[in-house]
Amino acid sequence: ERVDASGLLVFPGFIDPHVHSRDPGQTAKEDFAHSTLAALCSGVTTLLEMPNAVPPISDRATFEERAAAHERTASVDFGLWGQAFGASNLDDLPGLLDAGAVAIKLFWGYALDKRTKKLVYNTGDAAPDDIIAPPDAGDVLRVFEVIGARGGLLAAHCEDREIVLGGERAIGGEIRTYQDLLDGRPALAEIAAVSRAAEFSRVTGCRFHVVHTSTARALEIVRAARADGIPITAEACPHYLLLSDADHERYGSGMKVFPPIRGADDQEALWAAIADGTVASVGSDHAPHTLEELEGSLATRPAGVHGVETMVPLMLNEMARGRLAPERVAAVLAEQTARLYSIDHRKGRIAPGLDADLTLVDPHRERRIVAGELHTKHKASVYDGWTVRGTAVASLLRGEVVMRDGEPVAQRRGRLVRTSAAEAADAAVSVA
Ligand code: DOR
Ligand code: ZN
Ligand code: ZN
């Protein structure tokens, strides 16, 4: 199949590095077939899957099992994150990195409920034997040491649990208003965790990535640390870039996400951080729930926004509006992301047998985001009804056309991508 690219912009295939496909374990919410198809239809050619399915990817055997299962349903290429719990799976982290996990995720502040195998923030009255406790600072430091020694990338959901739940001023009460949501997960919880992470990164040399950054101050800490030579970066997500607390009136509980979407100043700081490289990469944090769950109020609705199919159109719209140069779009949605997660060996070279993942964009074509037309399992979006300009009209995956005009033209050909370090090790083994 040929594509006439006249008048189009040619981008490296876009990468979404932050997707929770809930597969296996919570496939009533989403599954890998749907999330990767939705990604494909939007112009994404590589998706990096978060490790907290049920069970989570916390050792090498689970990694390989999950990779094999996902290769049967993937519409785009994919990498897998590994999960660190702290002390309890410290010895499994080198194996995850050797297998080619793109990064290791620490849900800092969360415990694992061993009975449901789900992450929980508030352990309530669970007996100590029922949970893997949230890691203390010493555990977290050891995670930095182990991953740092291997040259791996550690990323974390950055929230200081003690600030949220501990001490006399415990904040985590019932959420009835948007202000309760903001108070429940205060900016200080993110700021405190990010400052600690920067110092841990400094002493261990471990590369660290702050996912879904929500505060201006955390970005300042990352920026200053980088100026000091610390290998730390931040991620931005479309909902923090495009929405602020003032939008709650309009979108209601559709804006319930952790960390919460904060003020206009925080939003502006994220754009500035994209411009100066403090934000290395943009990811959707696609965190789906069922339509029934999503209909709940702030009190009952689980946190998380759908976004795997809207990240690229929303960012292209910002390009069309002049807020983001095409080079920056390529950087935060592909090049820098590929380098950060060590999958740049696939993106840097185009030659026979190597990759040609490309996405062609019509910078002038307008479309309306219609939730009901999305390809995810549940068709929900806080951006329903938004008109966006700049549309991915075709994608090539390893040189073959796989998407035209927002629909798949070939299916089920996604493959696992291991990090360059793991592939280099593989190559060395096969040569020897
Ligand atoms: O709002 C959120 N939802 N934040 C997270 O970090 C987890 C996510 C989910 O998995 O639902
Ligand atoms: Zn998170
Ligand atoms: Zn997430």
Side-chain angles (χ1 to χ4, degrees):
E1 179 156 8
R2 299 173 67 86
V3 186
D4 179 358
S6 37
L8 304 181
L9 295 173
V10 180
F11 283 95
F14 295 125
I15 305 168
D16 187 343
H18 192 156
V19 176
H20 302 267
S21 298
R22 316 291 198 199
D23 189 353
Q26 295 182 292
T27 50
K29 294 175 189 275
E30 184 64 290
D31 61 35
F32 206 64
H34 281 89
S35 64
T36 59
L37 178 64
L40 173 77
C41 292
S42 75
V44 166
T45 56
T46 303
L47 174 157
L48 306 184
E49 176 67 16
M50 279 291 171
N52 62 322
V54 183
I57 303 178
S58 56
D59 59 40
R60 188 171 189 158
T62 312
F63 180 99
E64 296 298 349
E65 231 169 74
R66 197 64 48 84
H70 285 348
E71 279 194 329
R72 290 194 279 276
T73 59
S75 284
V76 293
D77 284 354
F78 63 96
L80 297 178
W81 286 73
Q83 183 155 337
F85 292 124
S88 70
N89 77 328
L90 207 57
D91 295 342
D92 291 310
L93 302 181
L96 283 166
L97 293 172
D98 288 347
V102 291
I104 302 293
K105 173 80 178 279
L106 178 73
F107 289 85
W108 203 339
Y110 284 80
L112 187 87
D113 189 320
K114 289 198 245 177
R115 299 160 298 183
T116 60
K117 298 200 166 62
K118 288 179 195 160
L119 291 159
V120 288
Y121 203 74
N122 208 329
T123 50
D125 50 15
D129 277 356
D130 292 339
I131 58 164
I132 295 179
D136 64 23
D139 290 342
V140 173
L141 180 56
R142 289 173 71 202
V143 172
F144 272 77
E145 284 167 354
V146 169
I147 296 173
R150 295 268 170 158
L153 176 68
L154 174 64
H157 180 115
C158 286
E159 266 178 328
D160 187 312
R161 179 189 175 84
E162 284 182 39
I163 286 175
V164 178
L165 296 176
E168 305 236 313
R169 289 187 68 247
I171 309 173
E174 205 198 326
I175 297 165
R176 269 170 271 98
T177 66
Y178 198 74
Q179 192 58 47
D180 291 341
L181 190 76
L182 292 168
D183 292 345
R185 299 292 176 101
L188 186 56
E190 176 175 281
I191 294 162
V194 171
S195 355
R196 180 168 264 177
E199 291 309 315
F200 283 5
S201 177
R202 183 202 298 274
V203 298
T204 61
C206 181
R207 293 188 296 129
F208 186 80
H209 191 50
V210 181
V211 294
H212 51 51
T213 321
S214 71
T215 63
R217 179 64 194 137
L219 291 164
E220 277 177 32
I221 292 164
V222 172
R223 182 179 292 114
R226 287 171 59 75
D228 236 4
I230 297 173
I232 183 170
T233 45
E235 176 189 70
C237 309
H239 38 291
Y240 304 106
L241 287 164
L242 299 172
L243 303 172
S244 77
D245 52 7
D247 293 310
H248 175 248
E249 241 171 85
R250 181 167 168 202
Y251 297 113
S253 70
M255 275 177 51
K256 184 175 178 187
V257 59
F258 292 140
I261 296 166
R262 305 185 196 271
D265 291 358
D266 298 295
Q267 190 192 86
E268 272 318 303
L270 280 163
W271 285 105
I274 285 185
D276 75 6
T278 304
V279 163
S281 170
V282 172
S284 71
D285 199 3
H286 181 61
H289 300 289
T290 64
L291 289 177
E292 249 172 18
E293 288 171 314
L294 294 180
E295 275 160 17
S297 68
L298 275 176
T300 61
R301 182 195 190 279
V305 295
H306 292 212
V308 71
E309 199 167 350
T310 49
M311 174 180 77
V312 170
L314 291 167
M315 296 304 284
L316 291 176
N317 187 49
E318 295 305 310
M319 179 182 82
R321 294 179 55 212
R323 179 127 75 158
L324 211 55
E327 293 77 10
R328 287 274 91 203
V329 174
V332 295
L333 290 184
E335 282 173 44
Q336 287 175 183
T337 304
R339 260 202 304 272
L340 180 68
Y341 294 98
S342 302
I343 54 171
D344 48 330
H345 58 301
R346 299 180 60 250
K347 303 292 156 193
R349 301 176 291 181
I350 296 175
L354 292 175
D355 283 334
D357 291 357
L358 300 169
T359 296
L360 279 59
V361 169
D362 182 340
H364 305 296
R365 193 191 292 188
E366 268 194 8
R367 55 173 285 232
R368 236 166 88 89
I369 295 174
V370 178
E373 292 172 3
L374 296 173
H375 295 78
T376 41
K377 186 166 226 172
H378 300 299
K379 290 146 190 17
S381 172
V382 69
Y383 313 105
D384 184 38
W386 285 33
T387 298
V388 289
R389 192 150 51 94
T391 300
V393 294
S395 289
L396 282 71
L397 182 63
R398 284 177 263 115
E400 266 181 66
V401 179
V402 287
M403 184 276 279
R404 297 291 293 250
D405 296 320
E407 293 297 331
V409 293
Q411 265 197 45
R412 300 197 171 199
R413 43 193 319 277
R415 285 192 202 149
L416 176 72
V417 183
R418 298 180 200 259
T419 51
S420 48
E423 294 213 344
D426 262 7
V429 170
S430 58
V431 168

